[in-house]
Structure formats: structure tokens, C-alpha cells
Amino acid sequence: MNGLFSSFCKIILQRGGRGRGVMGECEDSEEYRCWEELLPDALGLIFRNLPLQEVLTVLPRVCKSWGRVVAGPYCWQEIDIEEWSQQQSKPEQIGRMVELLVGRSGGSCRRISVSGLPCDPLLSFIGDHARALRALEIPRSEISDSIVETVAPRLSNVTFLDISSCTKIGARALDAFGKHCKSLVGLRRVMHPIDLADKECQHDEAHAIACSMPKLRHLEMGYMLITTEAVAEILGQCRELKFLDLRGCWAVDDKLLRERHPGLRVLGPRVEDCYENSFWEECSDYSDDDDDSIYSWEFMDDGDGYYAGVGSDDEAIWDDGQGLENLEVRFYGGGFSESFAGFDWPPSP
């Protein structure tokens, strides 16, 4: 659908930038649909199937009504910029993009997925402007225990949390999330061995999970420094747990766990394959299908011939004060490999 709809948008641009039927003006015949007159909610549902690049740079130039949809909350109830953020060398670009999109969501955002939040104030911004949030996925973020303790009360609707490789937080943050996100059913706290080079164990984190997250059904703890006893404490308190990822947790006796909890699906400790394998897609309710292609692009100035027909009237769509002039957004071909994403997992011993 993405490629077909993208081609449709480009045809419209080449024919004058009007969001009307491609085959003719809709006034001439009732057979043709006035795309620009679709309800904003419907347009938002359609636009969410497009890559970030096209939503931010192509759609606003089709017509004013489409530009208003992109500038409003209809496209941003789910914000997934994890792949884009993994490729950014400038943390300030990630911060600016998060502020732009969360601001546009108008408080209606239900899911945020971004890698590497660079500072505490960004988490506070999300807590202030996305209180309807249900899924918060912020792996490899530079956030602290203290900011989590401050912001967690504002994130009480969160049901799924991904704080993998967030090395500056620990048991305090997990306890805060658990106490305030009382509907939390999914937690992803996967580490990389390099993250744990200066740690001896993470039993305090396991204890925090056991004591504050009793409704968990899905738990990923890959490569955490925990023992069988720590996992047993979690299983004793989180009685609704259905899936447990223990890949790389070499001190855990998985056979004993399977004997005591026959209904529990356990992955690991032995590493069968690489991080983010197909088992995750099979077991998780939170994963999304990956795009088949990734484009090489960046925000361009209005001098590009492809956008030559854009007039000054279209600038009104950026009146949210978060213009795109200096915001670089690049996608590189070839997709993401585990090594590029920073997850070059060691083999099982």
C-alpha cells in the first residue's frame, strides 16, 4: 500500500498540487473522489501507512487540507521514529523531532517509539504532553532514576514499557514505573553485555519488578545479571506472566523454571539466534511490521524543483513553531542489521 499511495501523492504534485481525483476534477463527475474533502480522521488513518519522510515533506505540499491533517493530531496518535533516531549523530535532532511530533499530537498520542532520548527534560516533556500514552518505547535513552520518579505519575496509562539498555536507571526507576503504571502488562528490559561491564548483579532490579509489577504478562530480561532465585521471586509475584525472555542470563536454570511453571513460555538462557528474531514477532502483541524499504533522504529547502510549485500559503502548516528548516532526517538504504543497531550479541558459551 505504501508504494502505491506514494505514487498517487507524487502524481498529484506533478499535476498542480491539488488533492483532487487524478483522472479529472470532481466537479465534472460524481465518479471521482475529492481526496482533500475526506474527514481528517480518515486521512490520518491513511497517512499513518506512509514513511515518515513522505508524511512530513510530501503530504503537506499536496493541498492545504492535507497539510492541516499532518500538522494536527490525526497522524500522530502513534509516533514511531525508532529507526530514524538510531541513525542520528546529533542528539539535539532527536529532541527536536520528539518535541515536534508530540506537540502535534495534541495530547492524543498512544504510542511513542524512539531510541536514545538524550536527556531528562525530553522525558518530562513527554509526560506533560502525552498523558494518554499506552506504550512507551525508549531504548538506549540517557534518562535518570530521579526524572523517572518525577515523571512516572503522569504516565499512569502506560501498559507496555521498553527501557532496554537505559544504563543510567536501575531499581528506583523500575519501582517508580511499577507503582504508578498499575496497568503495566509488558516490560522490556534487555541489556547488552557491554552495558553491564561494571556491574556485579541486578537482583535489585528483579526485586523491584517482582514487588511493583504484579500484572505483567510479557517480560524480557535478556542479558541481565540475575540468578534463578531472582527470577523465581518475579514468578512468585507476577502470577499472570505468560512469556519470559532470559536470553543471555547464564546463571538462570531454565529447566527448573519450566518444571515449576509448565504454562510459562521461556526463551533462553541459551541464545538461539540474534536479537529481535522472529520469535518476538510471534509472541508479542506490541511489535509492528517493518517497512520493506528505507529511503535515503533529508529535509530539503524549497529550492528543489520537485517542490517548485509550493507557495507562501503553505507555510501556515508549520505555525506550531516547530519548523523543519534545520532538522536533518536521513534514512540509509539496506535496512538495519543487528551490528548496526548496536546489538552484536555474543554466542552461547
Side-chain angles (χ1 to χ4, degrees), residues 77-317:
Q77 293 183 18
E78 293 192 10
I79 298 173
D80 186 352
I81 55 173
E82 182 173 2
E83 289 189 353
W84 170 81
S85 58
Q86 286 175 337
Q87 301 180 59
Q88 302 309 303
S89 59
K90 299 177 181 179
E92 61 271 17
Q93 299 288 354
I94 297 176
R96 191 170 177 213
M97 181 66 84
V98 169
E99 291 176 350
L100 171 69
L101 301 185
V102 172
R104 289 187 178 185
S105 73
S108 64
C109 183
R110 297 192 301 265
R111 174 177 178 250
I112 293 176
S113 179
V114 55
S115 177
L117 287 182
C119 58
D120 284 352
L122 271 181
L123 184 62
S124 182
F125 180 86
I126 291 173
D128 288 336
H129 297 85
R131 300 202 177 195
L133 204 60
R134 304 279 289 177
L136 177 63
E137 302 164 41
I138 50 172
R140 296 174 290 281
S141 291
E142 299 292 320
I143 56 175
S144 65
D145 284 325
S146 57
I147 194 62
V148 171
E149 290 173 332
T150 300
V151 174
R154 301 175 231 161
L155 300 173
S156 58
N157 293 314
V158 169
T159 61
F160 178 72
L161 178 66
D162 183 352
I163 47 175
S164 299
S165 290
C166 294
T167 58
K168 293 185 177 180
I169 62 174
R172 285 172 52 195
L174 286 166
D175 185 66
F177 276 126
K179 287 181 177 178
H180 296 286
C181 304
K182 296 186 181 299
S183 299
L184 194 67
V185 295
L187 173 65
R188 199 179 202 191
R189 177 65 168 157
V190 177
M191 308 301 290
H192 191 284
I194 295 176
D195 299 334
L196 307 173
D198 59 344
K199 289 182 177 289
E200 295 184 2
C201 70
Q202 292 174 290
H203 293 166
D204 57 341
E205 294 193 19
H207 180 71
I209 292 172
C211 294
S212 65
M213 304 178 183
K215 295 184 179 180
L216 282 182
R217 296 201 299 267
H218 185 110
L219 176 59
E220 297 187 48
M221 307 174 68
Y223 288 88
M224 287 184 66
L225 300 176
I226 52 178
T227 63
T228 305
E229 290 73 20
V231 177
E233 181 184 8
I234 292 174
L235 295 177
Q237 299 295 327
C238 304
R239 299 183 180 276
E240 299 181 32
L241 203 60
K242 302 298 182 184
F243 174 73
L244 181 61
D245 182 354
L246 295 172
R247 283 175 293 178
C249 301
W250 310 121
V252 176
D253 184 350
D254 60 306
K255 292 183 180 178
L256 180 61
L257 296 179
R258 288 186 173 95
E259 290 174 0
R260 293 183 178 179
H261 303 275
L264 178 67
R265 301 184 69 177
V266 180
L267 179 61
R270 182 177 176 82
V271 179
E272 300 292 344
D273 52 10
C274 294
Y275 183 76
E276 294 275 3
N277 67 0
S278 59
F279 192 88
W280 163 247
E281 295 180 0
E282 176 186 345
C283 296
S284 174
D285 293 330
Y286 306 100
S287 62
D288 294 321
D289 293 331
D290 294 330
D291 290 332
D292 293 331
S293 61
I294 298 177
Y295 300 86
S296 298
W297 65 282
E298 65 179 285
F299 284 114
M300 299 170 287
D301 59 29
D302 290 338
D304 191 293
Y306 186 67
Y307 300 119
V310 178
S312 59
D313 289 344
D314 296 292
E315 299 303 321
I317 65 173

Side-chain angles (χ1 to χ4, degrees), residues 26-44:
C26 64
E27 289 90 347
D28 297 340
S29 172
E30 295 181 358
E31 179 181 352
Y32 303 126
R33 166 76 65 179
C34 282
W35 287 87
E36 65 184 27
E37 295 178 3
L38 279 178
L39 292 174
D41 318 53
L43 287 172

